[in-house]
Amino acid sequence: MLLRKNETVIFIGDSVTDDGRARPVGERLSGLGNGYVRLIDCFLEADYPEYNIRTVNMGISGNTTADLLARWDDDVTARKPTTVVLCIGFNDVWRQFDSPMQPEYAVTPEQYRANLNTFADKTSAKMIWMTPYYLEPNTDDAMRKRMDEYGAIVKEEAKKRNIPCIDLQAAFADILQHRYSAFITWDRIHPGPLGSLIIARAFLKGIGAEKSVGK
Amino acid sequence: MLLRKNETVIFIGDSVTDDGRARPVGERLSGLGNGYVRLIDCFLEADYPEYNIRTVNMGISGNTTADLLARWDDDVTARKPTTVVLCIGFNDVWRQFDSPMQPEYAVTPEQYRANLNTFADKTSAKMIWMTPYYLEPNTDDAMRKRMDEYGAIVKEEAKKRNIPCIDLQAAFADILQHRYSAFITWDRIHPGPLGSLIIARAFLKGIGAEKSVGK
Amino acid sequence: MLLRKNETVIFIGDSVTDDGRARPVGERLSGLGNGYVRLIDCFLEADYPEYNIRTVNMGISGNTTADLLARWDDDVTARKPTTVVLCIGFNDVWRQFDSPMQPEYAVTPEQYRANLNTFADKTSAKMIWMTPYYLEPNTDDAMRKRMDEYGAIVKEEAKKRNIPCIDLQAAFADILQHRYSAFITWDRIHPGPLGSLIIARAFLKGIGAEKSVGK
Amino acid sequence: MLLRKNETVIFIGDSVTDDGRARPVGERLSGLGNGYVRLIDCFLEADYPEYNIRTVNMGISGNTTADLLARWDDDVTARKPTTVVLCIGFNDVWRQFDSPMQPEYAVTPEQYRANLNTFADKTSAKMIWMTPYYLEPNTDDAMRKRMDEYGAIVKEEAKKRNIPCIDLQAAFADILQHRYSAFITWDRIHPGPLGSLIIARAFLKGIGAEKSVGK
Amino acid sequence: MLLRKNETVIFIGDSVTDDGRARPVGERLSGLGNGYVRLIDCFLEADYPEYNIRTVNMGISGNTTADLLARWDDDVTARKPTTVVLCIGFNDVWRQFDSPMQPEYAVTPEQYRANLNTFADKTSAKMIWMTPYYLEPNTDDAMRKRMDEYGAIVKEEAKKRNIPCIDLQAAFADILQHRYSAFITWDRIHPGPLGSLIIARAFLKGIGAEKSVGK
Amino acid sequence: MLLRKNETVIFIGDSVTDDGRARPVGERLSGLGNGYVRLIDCFLEADYPEYNIRTVNMGISGNTTADLLARWDDDVTARKPTTVVLCIGFNDVWRQFDSPMQPEYAVTPEQYRANLNTFADKTSAKMIWMTPYYLEPNTDDAMRKRMDEYGAIVKEEAKKRNIPCIDLQAAFADILQHRYSAFITWDRIHPGPLGSLIIARAFLKGIGAEKSVGK
Amino acid sequence: MLLRKNETVIFIGDSVTDDGRARPVGERLSGLGNGYVRLIDCFLEADYPEYNIRTVNMGISGNTTADLLARWDDDVTARKPTTVVLCIGFNDVWRQFDSPMQPEYAVTPEQYRANLNTFADKTSAKMIWMTPYYLEPNTDDAMRKRMDEYGAIVKEEAKKRNIPCIDLQAAFADILQHRYSAFITWDRIHPGPLGSLIIARAFLKGIGAEKSVGK
Amino acid sequence: MLLRKNETVIFIGDSVTDDGRARPVGERLSGLGNGYVRLIDCFLEADYPEYNIRTVNMGISGNTTADLLARWDDDVTARKPTTVVLCIGFNDVWRQFDSPMQPEYAVTPEQYRANLNTFADKTSAKMIWMTPYYLEPNTDDAMRKRMDEYGAIVKEEAKKRNIPCIDLQAAFADILQHRYSAFITWDRIHPGPLGSLIIARAFLKGIGAEKSVGK
C-alpha cells in the first residue's frame, strides 16, 4: 500500500472534498465532513488500524486551483503532511459554463497546468492526484469535453512527475452505464453518498489498500 | 388574444408552476410564487389592465399527472375557472431516471396520455397546454429523449382536441445555443428566473398577447 | 441598442435597485436580487445572449445620493464598468416626509443636483439615468410634487450632459389609470414584481432593446 | 363617563384592533396587543382604577364585517360583555383596491350597512362604534372617498340606533395638517404607536373619560 | 411648556428608558423602543406637532450612573441636545440587593450624588431629572427605603441646581393604592405598558404640557 | 424515612414543580425538569440508591387547584403512585393580585380548602403536602398575608387527616433574614436554583431522609 | 449472494438503523438516513447495479422488540418486502441499565425471544437477522454480559429457523483491539460513521456480496 | 470550614466545571452554569449566608491543563481570588483515547504533573484540588486505569504541597455499586445533575461544610 504507518494525509480540494468538514481544521472522525474523505478514513481505520493514519480534510467549497494556490502554504505546507491528496479542477471548468461573463472566476487550461506544477514544486511530501470528473456520459457534451481536457492535463503532469494519479472519471464509468446521472446527483458534480463511496474506493484501489477493496 | 376580459385563469402543474406560491390558494400578486405564473400575471397587468384577468396558481411541487388527477375536482373544477393552463409531465419522466426502483413514483407514456385526456374530459373551461421540457440540448440523452416523447404526446392529444399547445422545449432552443444549461439551472428542469421569463413569454406569444411580446 | 457586446453594466441605487442582491457584489443570476435588475438581465440573456452583457447590481437599501457619493469610487469606478445606470432620489425625498425632525437623513434639491453632477464628473463610462417616482397619481400630493421636482432635476441635468434619461414616473402613468397604487405596493415606492417589470421594460425601451419590448 | 364600574368591554375589529393580542382570548395587560386597546386599558387603569374595567381584545387581522358576522356569537355574545366596541370596515374597503379581481374578499356598502345592523340586532350589551379611516388627506383620492362613504354609513346607522359613535377620520385631521401620512404609517391604515394613541384618546374623549383627556 | 420649538431632547438612562430602542441611535418612531420615551414622543406629536420636537432615546439596559459616566461624552454631549432627560439609579440600588457579593456592580449613595453632579457639570443643555422608583408600597421594605434615599438625592441636587425634577415614585402612589404591584410588573422595576404611561404622563405634567395632560 | 423501597412518588403542582419537565410524563433524570423534583431525585439516588425510588414530575406551569382537579384522575390516580406529593396554591392566590378583573382565574380560600379535601378523598396512596410560600418577608404585605392564609389551610387540613405537611414558607425564613428576596428570585415565587435546593431539603428533612440532610 | 435481482429489502430496527432516515418511509438515497442502511445501498448500487435492489429503511430511534411488534403489520408486512433485515435489541437491554426504575421500558430475555419468534412467524419473506452489540471489550461488564445474552438468543433462534444471522458483536472485535471504544462512539451503542461501515460490511459479507467485500 | 467569610472562590477546569456558565465571567446565580459550581454556591448560600462567599466559575469546556496554563494569569491571578478550586485532567486523558492520532490534543502524565505544579507556583491564594474521575467501575479498563494514574498524580502533588485534595473518583464509588454508569451519564465523564450533586457534596464535605453535609 502506498501509505506507511503513522502518516499524516492531507486531502485538499473543493466541495467534493470539503462536504461539511469542520473549520478551521477538518480532522478526527467528527471533523472530516460527510464525503469521500471520511469514508476513506473509516476504511483505513476498519482495515488498517495498526497504521495509525492521521487524515486531515482541508477542502473548501467553490475553490479552484487559483484559490488553492493562495492557501497552499498555510493549509498544506505548514501542516507538515507526509502525503498530500489533490482533487481539484471542477470549478476551474464549471465557472466557464455557468458564469461565462465572469472569466476571472474560472481557470484556463494553461493556468490549470501551471498551478498543478506549482503545487508539486511547493510540496516535498508524497503526492497523490485525482482527476476531476463530470457525471455526464456523453463525451461530446461541451462541459464533459472540457472536463476531460482538464483530466488529461492532470494525468499528463502526474505522469511526468511520477505522481500516482487516480482517474475518477473512469471510476464512474460503470455506474453511468446502469444509472442515469440524476440518480447519483442533480448537478453532475457533487457526488452524494453513492459517488463518495465510488471515489473513496477508487482511491483505496489506487493506493493498493487491498484489505479494503480486494485485489 | 386568447384570453377575454374578466377571466379566471388557473395554472396547474408541479414545481415549475408552484415556485413558492401561497397555500391553500395561490393568488393575488403576493400569492403567485416566484416563477412564470407571477411573471405572466405582471405582463397582463402591465399591458392589459383593462382585461381584469384573475390569475390563480395551483401548482404543487413534485406532482405528476397522477397527483393532478387526485386533486383536479378540488383544485380546478370547484374553482370554476374560465381557462385552465396545464404544465405537467416533468416528474412523470424524472422519477423514471432518479428513482428506477420505485416505478410507482413515475407515470408511463400510456398512463400520461390517458391522464391528459381525463383532464380534458373533466374540464368544460377553455384549456391551454404546455409541454414539459428538459434543458439538455443533446436529443440522444436518455432523459431528453423520454421528455420529448412526453412532449409529443401533449402535442398529439392537444391537436386532436383543438387545444392550444405551447411547446416549451422549442422555446428554450435559442438560449441553449448560446448558453450551457448550467447557466440557467443546475438540474435542467427548475427554470430559475431566466427560464421562467422564457416560459412566460412563450405563453404570452402562444396566446397572442402582442402588447407583451410584439408580433 | 445603446449597449454594445461584452459590456459591464453597473446598476447603482437604493432598495428599488438592491431588492435582496448578494453582498458584497451582486452579480450572476443568483446574486442580482429579485427586482428590476434581475429582470433586465434575464431579458438581455433571453433576447441578446450573443451580447454577453455582464450585469452588476450595486444598489443598497436606504441610500440617498449622499450615500452613493461616499461609495462611488469603490462601488462604481473601481469596478471599471462600461455603462453605469443610476436610479436614485427616492430616499432623498422620502426622509423629508417621514423624518422631518432629522433633516440630515434627507438631501435638498440643490445638493441632489450637485450630487448628480458629481457622479457624472467622476464617471468616464457611459451613463444612463432613471428618474425616481412616486406611485401616487395625485400630482398635488406633497410628496408626489416633491418627487416630480427631483425627477425634473434628473431630466434637466441629463439633458445638459446628453445622458440618456428614462422617466420612470411616466412609465407608471398607464397602470395608475387602471389600478389603485395599493394594488402595486403599499408604500408607493417599493415596486414589487409588477413595478419591477414596468421599470425593466421602461429601461429596455429606453435603450432601444427592440427584441425585448417591440418597437 | 359612558362606562360603569365592573364592566367587561370587548373590542372587536381587524388588525387595527388586534395588533398582536394573545390567542384565543386577548386580555390582561400582556394579552391586549400593542395597539389602541392596550392604551385604552392603561389609561383606564391609571385614571379609573376603582372602576375595575375588564378589557378584552377580540380583533383579528384582515377581518371584514363578513368575518365578524361568522364569529360574533362565539367571540362576542358568548363572552357576555356589558359593552362592545366595534371598529371595522378597513378591509371591507381596502380589498376593493388591492384585490380588484377578487370581489369576494371585499364587502359592498349595502352589505356593510346590513352587517352593522345585524351586529346591533344580535347585541343586547351597550355598543360603541368607531368609523374606519384612511390616512390620506386628499378627499378626492379614490380609496379615501370610498372609506368616507363607509364612515358615513357607520355614523348614519349609529345615529338611527342611538349608538355612541366616534369619528376616527376626524380624530386624525389635525395631525395630517402637520405631518405627511408616511410619518405615521406607510400604508395609511395600520396606525402604529402614534396613530394608536390618537385612536385611544378619541375613544376616551368620546366616552367622556375626562380624567384621561381633560374636558 | 418647558420645551421650545425645534428642540432635540435626549433621554438617557437604563432599561426603563431603553425598552428595546434601536441601536446605535434610538430615534424616529420605530427606533424609540416600546416604553415611556416613545409614548412621550407620541403625545408631543399628537398635541404639539408644530413644535417639531426631535426625541432621541439613548437608554441602555442595566446601566448605572457609573456606566452613564463612561458614555456621556459620546452619547449625550456629542449629539448636541437642547434638553437632556435623566432617569437613572434603579440599578445603582438593585445590584446592592441581588448581587451583594459583587459590590462593584452597584453605586454607593455618595458616588451616585457625585455622578449626578458630574452629569450636570458636563451639560450645557437644559436638564430634566426623574427620580428612580420601586413599585413596593411598603416604605419599610429594605430596597424601597434605599431607592427612596436615592430619589431624595436626585431631588436635593436638582433643587440646588434649579433643575426641574419629576418624582416618579410619587407618580405611582395612586395606582399602588388600587392595584398590587404584581399587576403592573413582576419585579417592581420594569414598568410595562401601564407603568410607562404613568411615567410619560408624569413627565408631560412636569414640563407643563397641558394639551397632553390637562391642567 | 417516610418513603419505602420501590415506591413510585408523583409530585403534582404548578411551575414551581414543573420547571421544564418532559411531556407527557416527567420521569427519568432527563425528564424531571430543573427544579426541586430533580434535586430530590438526585439526593435519593445519591444517598438511598438501594431504595429504587421512582420519581415522577407531573407539575404544569400556571396550574391552580382547580386545574389539578380536572386532571387528577389521569395524571395521578391512573399512574398508580404509592406516594403523592402536593405543592399547590401559588396561582390560586397570585391571580387575585395580578388579574383582579378575571376572578375565574383564581381560587377562593373556601374552594381551595374544598379542593385539597377532594384530592385527599380521591387518593388511596400516601400523601405529603407542601404549603405554598411567598418570598416576601413583610407579613403585612397583602399577597404574603393571603398566601399565609392559604398555607394555614394546607396545614389545618393536613393535620385533620394526619397527612405529613411541610411548611415551605418556614423553610425560607432563614435565607430571607440574610438576603433580599430579589437575590433569590425577581417575582418572589419561582424559586430558581437556590430556592429549589431549599425546597428539596425541606422535603427531605420532612420525610426523615437523614442521610441527605443530617439529623 | 443471498439477494436476488429486483428485491425489496426492508431494514427494521432502532436508532442504529434509523440514523435520520426520511419519514414516513425511508427510501431512495436521500431518504435512507446517514447510517449503515445507506452504506449498504451505496455498495449494492456501486457493485450490483444490475440487481436493481430496492432498499427501505424503517428503523425508529428508541425502539425495542415490543415497539416493533406494534408496527410490524404496517411497517413490514404491508410493504410486501422480499427480504426483511432485523437489527434490534439494543434498547431492550439498555433501558435495564439507564432506567432501572421503569421496567416497562425494557424487554426481558424471555419476551425478547418470544418477540423474535413472532416476527418470524408473521413474515413470509426471507429474513436476515443481526445481533445487537455493545462496544465494550470487557465481557464481564454487566451491560456487555447482558447484551451478549440477547445476542445469543438471536443466534439460537435464527439457527432453529435457518435464518441467516450476522454477529455484529464479532464484527467489532478487531477494531476494539486497536481502538478504545470512545474512539468510535461515546455511548458504546450509536455506531457513527466508522461503526456503520463495519456493520455494512459485516452484512455484505454475511450475504455473500463478494464484489463489495472480497472473498 | 476551610472557607472564611467574604472569600472570592474561583473554580477553574473544563466542561465538568463550565456546564453552561456565563461568558466572559461566570458569576452570580444566573452565571454559574448548571453544574456542581452552582450547586456548591446554593449550598453555601442556604447554609452559610453570613459568610458572603463570592463564587466564580471560570471553567471552559474541552480544556486540558495545557489550556489552563495559557489562561491562568488572565482567568485566575488577575481576578484576585482568595481560594482557587482546580478540577482538571479529564481531557488530558480522554484525548489519548478518542484522538490517538492527534497526540498534541492530550497531555502526558509528566506534563500533567508539571502543569499542576506550575499552577501551584503561580498561585498565592489558598488552593483546593479535585481529582479527575472516570465513571467506569472496572479498574482494568484502559481509560479508567489511565485516569487513576492522573488522579494519583493530583493526590501526590497535593500532598507534597499540603493542598487539600478531594478524591472525586472515590466519591462516585458508592453510586457505581448500585447503578450502571449509563444511569448517570452516557460518556462516563459529564456528570449530569446526579453526578454534579455528588461532586458538590464531596467538595463540601472535603472543606468541612458540616451544615451542608452533616458530620
Side-chain angles (χ1 to χ4, degrees), chain A residues 45 47 49 52 175 179 201, chain G residues 45 47 49 52 175 179 201:
Chain A
E45 282 301 320
D47 297 326
N52 293 318
I175 187 72
R179 297 282 179 262
R201 297 213 301 174
Chain G
E45 282 299 321
D47 298 328
N52 294 317
I175 187 73
R179 298 282 178 263
R201 296 214 300 174

Side-chain angles (χ1 to χ4, degrees), chain B residues 44-181:
Chain B
L44 293 175
E45 282 301 320
D47 298 326
Y48 300 86
E50 73 281 10
Y51 272 57
N52 294 316
I53 305 290
R54 180 175 187 162
T55 304
V56 184
N57 183 345
M58 295 304 286
I60 292 184
S61 291
N63 270 201
T64 61
T65 51
D67 298 307
L68 290 201
L69 210 58
R71 62 187 181 92
W72 195 270
D73 293 349
D74 289 341
D75 284 3
V76 179
T77 313
R79 301 200 162 275
K80 301 196 172 59
T82 55
T83 294
V84 177
V85 183
L86 180 74
C87 180
I88 195 75
F90 301 95
N91 296 307
D92 302 62
V93 171
W94 205 349
R95 291 300 88 75
Q96 299 171 33
F97 291 85
D98 70 7
S99 307
M101 264 76 75
Q102 286 81 14
E104 77 276 23
Y105 284 57
V107 174
T108 62
E110 296 68 35
Q111 194 56 48
Y112 182 67
R113 189 186 299 268
N115 289 344
L116 292 179
N117 278 294
T118 306
F119 300 148
D121 291 344
K122 277 173 162 289
T123 308
S124 57
K126 204 176 348 167
M127 292 194 95
I128 299 169
W129 288 2
M130 301 206 284
T131 69
Y133 58 82
Y134 190 52
L135 300 185
E136 164 60 64
N138 172 21
T139 51
D140 288 334
D141 176 271
M143 187 163 152
R144 168 67 195 270
K145 206 180 295 186
R146 193 70 163 167
M147 199 69 84
D148 284 348
E149 193 182 331
Y150 281 61
I153 293 172
V154 176
K155 286 186 278 189
E156 290 162 20
E157 299 306 311
K159 197 171 179 189
K160 286 185 204 158
R161 290 174 175 269
N162 279 322
I163 291 170
C165 180
I166 293 153
D167 185 337
L168 294 183
Q169 187 72 55
F172 281 104
D174 188 52
I175 187 73
L176 286 177
Q177 295 227 334
H178 290 87
R179 299 281 178 262
Y180 189 74
S181 69

